Amino acid sequence: MGLSYSGEVALVTGGAAGIGRATALAFAEAGLKVVVSDLDSAGGEATVGLIQAAGGEAVFVPCDVTRDAEVQALMQQTIAAFGRLDYAFNNAGIEIEQGKLADGNESEFDAIMNVNVKGVWLCMKHQLPLLLAQGAGAIVNTASVAGLGAAPKMSIYSASKHAVIGLTKSAAVEYAKKKIRVNAVCPAVIDTDMFRRAYEADPRKAEFAAAMHPVGRIGRVEEIAAAVMYLCSDEAAFTTGHALAVDGGATAI
């Protein structure tokens, strides 16, 4: 898809499962070397194992994206392992709350904002100098359709994803002339462990989640991975500061 395969390196946070794992596998299948990062070491190592079993190159680096020193160490270990960084998919995130705004609590607010907003900010803060030194690159951040409009009963999560889009657009403009593109992918409901925890305990909620998409189903992780690959590809060379909805038509309603 326009990516050249002569030793490029991709970093995926939140790579232990779901969208992150699918994207790490897609990068590796395209011929890139992949750094997989997550708090879940077992899941992250399993992702690396899948890549290596398919003949790809990957390493796992544990990282809490809310901690500056750990994010710095992640970038240092990326360079130590592969000597460069070309693409970053900042996907680590915490799941939604489920309740009206007045029913939320401060610890829930702090946890969601710390991972979803501070984590993305710290990753970009330490990725951008590497991309500047490289002379080009692309960053994709995981936002959400909840960051494109209202999200009843998940107002904190929605606010965090609106913030991710704000970070994305601001960085895109700041670094556009440096040949660094920054975009966001905005999934609707995707079949992940997070979805199952949130919805599958109540089959009615799962049915509602499918029905909210005009296509009549929830999304697949591979479909989000494909969007990330496009945003990193040469075909997207004129695309920066964009929040790409991959949502089965949900935001068209």
Side-chain angles (χ1 to χ4, degrees):
M1 211 188 233
L3 288 166
S4 57
Y5 311 139
S6 55
E8 281 80 0
V9 176
L11 165 64
V12 178
T13 69
I19 292 169
R21 173 175 286 178
T23 305
L25 292 172
F27 275 130
E29 185 177 358
L32 282 85
K33 300 172 184 177
V34 185
V35 178
V36 177
S37 185
D38 204 292
L39 274 176
D40 176 2
S41 294
E45 293 284 10
T47 299
V48 168
L50 290 170
I51 291 171
Q52 293 174 339
E57 289 187 68
V59 296
F60 173 70
V61 180
C63 179
D64 179 347
V65 296
T66 70
R67 297 183 178 274
D68 184 82
E70 293 195 26
V71 176
Q72 288 190 61
L74 170 60
M75 303 312 152
Q76 291 165 357
Q77 290 181 63
T78 296
I79 299 302
F82 295 128
R84 59 190 289 163
L85 176 66
D86 299 278
Y87 310 103
F89 180 38
N90 296 319
N91 173 67
I94 195 169
E95 57 200 79
I96 62 174
E97 82 278 17
Q98 298 184 61
K100 292 184 178 180
L101 190 147
D103 299 324
N105 60 72
E106 188 174 3
S107 62
E108 190 171 53
F109 181 93
D110 289 344
I112 291 172
M113 289 294 179
N114 206 31
V115 177
N116 290 4
V117 183
K118 181 183 177 184
V120 170
W121 175 73
L122 280 174
C123 284
M124 286 201 295
K125 173 181 171 63
H126 294 297
Q127 290 158 357
L128 284 162
L130 301 184
L131 298 180
L132 287 168
Q134 192 69 30
I139 294 173
V140 180
N141 299 318
T142 297
S144 168
V145 294
L148 296 172
K153 295 189 177 180
M154 56 177 80
S155 59
I156 304 170
Y157 180 83
S158 176
S160 76
K161 294 304 185 178
H162 276 271
V164 168
I165 293 173
L167 289 170
T168 298
K169 289 177 178 290
S170 297
V173 172
E174 290 174 356
Y175 295 94
K177 292 183 179 179
K178 299 295 185 180
K179 298 184 180 179
I180 297 171
R181 296 182 300 102
V182 187
N183 293 289
V185 65
C186 299
V189 182
I190 307 299
D191 187 8
T192 63
D193 291 342
M194 186 183 295
F195 162 75
R196 296 185 189 104
R197 286 192 296 268
Y199 293 100
E200 286 192 350
D202 184 343
R204 293 171 300 177
K205 288 185 178 180
E207 291 171 8
F208 173 78
M212 68 184 280
H213 308 99
V215 299
R217 64 173 176 85
I218 64 173
R220 299 188 295 271
V221 292
E222 294 82 7
E223 292 168 320
I224 308 305
V228 176
M229 294 293 289
Y230 165 71
L231 290 172
C232 288
S233 74
D234 291 342
E235 277 79 2
F238 201 55
T239 302
T240 195
H242 183 61
L244 177 61
V246 187
D247 64 353
T251 55
I253 299 173

